[in-house]
Amino acid sequence: MLPICELLTEQVLLEHLSEQQIDDVIKQARKSRLLPEVADKILAKPTDKMPMSFQRHLHSASILSNAHQRAISWEFDRIASALEQIDSPVVLLKGAAYLAQNIEHSRRRLYGDIDLLVAHDYLEEVEDRLRWAGWVSTHHNDYDQRYYRKWMHEIPPLQHAKRGSTLDVHHRILPPTARITLPGEPLIDKAIQCEQHPFFFVLSPADQIIHSAAHLFSDGEQDHGLRDLYDIYRLLEHFQADNPQFIELVVERANTLGLSRFMFYALRYVRKFFAPELSLSYEKFCEAKPSNALLTLMDILFTRALVPEHSSCSPTGQGLSQKALYIRGHYLRMPFKLLLPHLLRKAFSTDSKETIR
């Protein structure tokens, strides 16, 4: 297990790490956007091994995560004001949902975009109301607009003209062209009103984890993969505290939604990176368990690609594994007859902000 993972799960005490190991963990955490979480673990148990220069980095990370929380909370208020007349649930996804529920690790998380899920029938009205409130599309050329609206699971990203905040408005969680896909409505139907921010809804506990797993293990980019895997680990820990059978419920729900392959990978790599005590019993319940040959290949790729890109821990073949998963992500996203023209268009395009997605 990586030192950063051991520290995050408190399987190694800070005082057992050398100054060099602490320095490596801090650098790995910065690469994987986990530095505020690591800062909390380290600053809670100070040690004489901690140079003042390290402490400054950690305190800075904590200040930054607090600023992110305040900014996101303010955006919640602005979004609610813009969409208050919408007669359909507005569902927060991923990090925004964790913060809105006040899940513990969300208070030490860095945030970028706010992800929303709305029913497809209300998509046009939601976009119009957000536009009137100052959020405008970041993609202006006709090709990108058509690509998002015809082939993707979201409209083009919206950015506020004054504040610069970015919204990703989804109508489903995976592209309609993907080999494994799912409309948004089955998830919205089971969404739960958020107590702390009652205008918004969040996915059911099981669906939050399934969505996070589907996003991580179908996407071709693993830049912050360890952070996303840590999210899944902490969500499992959070919801399992109230229901010891929670993992079985998650696997059953994933089977129902047709997303059990992604859930299998999520549980497998949570076990490898963060929770070696996790029972392997989930394997027999997953309906879409990969073959032994495919699983061997995925282990080679994911156990390398999910590791932070830093010289202290980067395994041999990490770059090749990341490229292979990037290709796999596009293979899962679109059929070849659509993907090839899209890649060629992007390769020679000079007027698009979006590179190869």
Side-chain angles (χ1 to χ4, degrees):
M1 185 180 287
L2 293 169
I4 184 176
C5 297
E6 291 179 323
L7 186 65
L8 287 170
T9 56
E10 299 183 349
Q11 296 183 50
V12 64
L13 298 177
L14 182 64
E15 53 264 30
H16 294 162
L17 297 179
S18 68
E19 183 175 316
Q20 181 59 54
Q21 287 175 314
I22 295 173
D23 182 45
D24 289 340
V25 166
I26 290 173
K27 291 174 180 176
Q28 293 166 19
R30 189 184 298 281
K31 270 287 187 183
S32 51
R33 293 179 67 84
L34 281 166
L35 189 54
E37 185 78 15
V38 166
D40 183 77
K41 298 290 185 185
I42 293 179
L43 294 174
K45 299 176 181 178
T47 173
D48 294 339
K49 294 180 182 178
M50 182 64 63
M52 185 59 66
S53 59
F54 288 6
Q55 294 184 42
R56 285 196 291 268
H57 283 292
L58 299 175
H59 283 296
S60 176
S62 297
I63 292 169
L64 181 60
S65 67
N66 290 337
H68 277 214
Q69 289 175 56
R70 291 193 298 270
I72 295 295
S73 296
W74 169 250
E75 294 300 331
F76 286 166
D77 180 74
R78 297 296 84 209
I79 296 167
S81 178
L83 300 180
E84 60 184 352
Q85 300 302 318
I86 295 291
D87 189 25
S88 179
V90 177
V91 183
L92 295 170
L93 298 176
K94 297 190 292 189
Y98 313 153
L99 183 60
Q101 296 168 93
N102 200 28
I103 293 176
E104 184 187 1
H105 85 285
S106 70
R107 299 192 293 271
R108 298 178 294 275
R109 198 177 184 277
L110 297 177
Y111 295 87
D113 305 341
I114 296 177
D115 292 272
L116 306 176
L117 175 67
V118 299
H120 188 273
D121 290 347
Y122 289 86
L123 195 59
E124 185 175 350
E125 184 181 358
V126 166
E127 186 175 6
D128 286 344
R129 290 185 179 277
L130 289 171
R131 188 183 297 115
W132 278 107
W135 277 281
V136 296
S137 178
T138 59
H139 293 67
H140 302 296
N141 72 69
D142 291 341
Y143 177 80
D144 280 350
Q145 288 287 327
R146 186 169 62 254
Y147 168 73
Y148 269 96
R149 296 181 190 281
K150 188 173 182 179
W151 304 122
M152 294 301 291
H153 52 303
E154 59 184 315
I155 63 174
L158 303 174
Q159 187 172 58
H160 197 275
K162 292 183 178 179
R163 298 191 301 276
S165 59
T166 303
L167 302 181
D168 285 338
V169 182
H170 301 249
H171 55 92
R172 56 199 301 146
I173 64 170
L174 293 167
T177 57
R179 283 163 173 77
I180 302 174
T181 189
L182 179 72
E185 282 70 18
L187 303 180
I188 295 173
D189 289 345
K190 290 187 174 295
I192 302 166
Q193 191 168 23
C194 186
E195 293 182 7
Q196 289 86 352
H197 300 272
F199 170 78
F200 293 104
F201 286 70
V202 295
L203 298 179
S204 71
D207 286 353
Q208 287 184 54
I209 292 175
I210 293 167
H211 173 234
S212 186
H215 180 265
L216 176 57
F217 291 102
S218 69
D219 196 10
E221 298 181 8
Q222 305 293 329
D223 294 352
H224 308 126
L226 189 66
R227 192 278 306 272
D228 294 341
L229 189 67
Y230 183 70
D231 279 342
I232 296 172
Y233 163 68
R234 293 303 303 268
L235 288 173
L236 287 169
E237 186 179 58
H238 175 81
F239 292 123
Q240 206 171 5
D242 296 326
N243 183 358
Q245 307 303 313
F246 180 67
I247 289 182
E248 294 178 20
L249 294 176
V250 173
V251 173
E252 182 180 350
R253 174 67 169 163
N255 288 338
T256 300
L257 295 175
L259 302 176
S260 65
R261 175 69 61 87
F262 299 131
M263 199 64 240
F264 176 89
Y265 287 139
L267 292 172
R268 183 173 182 83
Y269 298 115
V270 162
R271 188 176 187 274
K272 284 182 177 293
F273 281 85
F274 295 111
E277 74 283 358
L278 182 68
S279 171
L280 287 172
S281 62
Y282 68 85
E283 291 190 0
K284 64 183 179 184
F285 297 113
C286 286
E287 292 180 353
K289 179 182 175 181
S291 66
N292 290 336
L294 178 59
L295 187 55
T296 299
L297 175 61
M298 291 297 103
D299 279 348
I300 292 171
L301 298 178
F302 279 118
T303 55
R304 286 162 173 77
L306 292 170
V307 172
E309 291 185 61
H310 188 263
S311 58
S312 63
C313 62
S314 293
T316 302
Q318 183 179 50
L320 185 60
S321 295
Q322 290 172 336
K323 289 177 181 176
L325 290 173
Y326 183 76
I327 294 170
R328 170 184 176 270
H330 285 295
Y331 169 78
L332 293 177
R333 185 186 297 272
M334 298 179 79
F336 190 71
K337 66 180 181 180
L338 296 177
L339 179 59
L340 181 58
H342 176 65
L343 296 180
L344 290 173
R345 162 83 188 199
K346 291 302 177 182
F348 297 100
S349 176
T350 59
D351 63 347
S352 175
K353 287 187 178 183
E354 191 74 7
T355 53
I356 299 175
R357 185 178 178 102

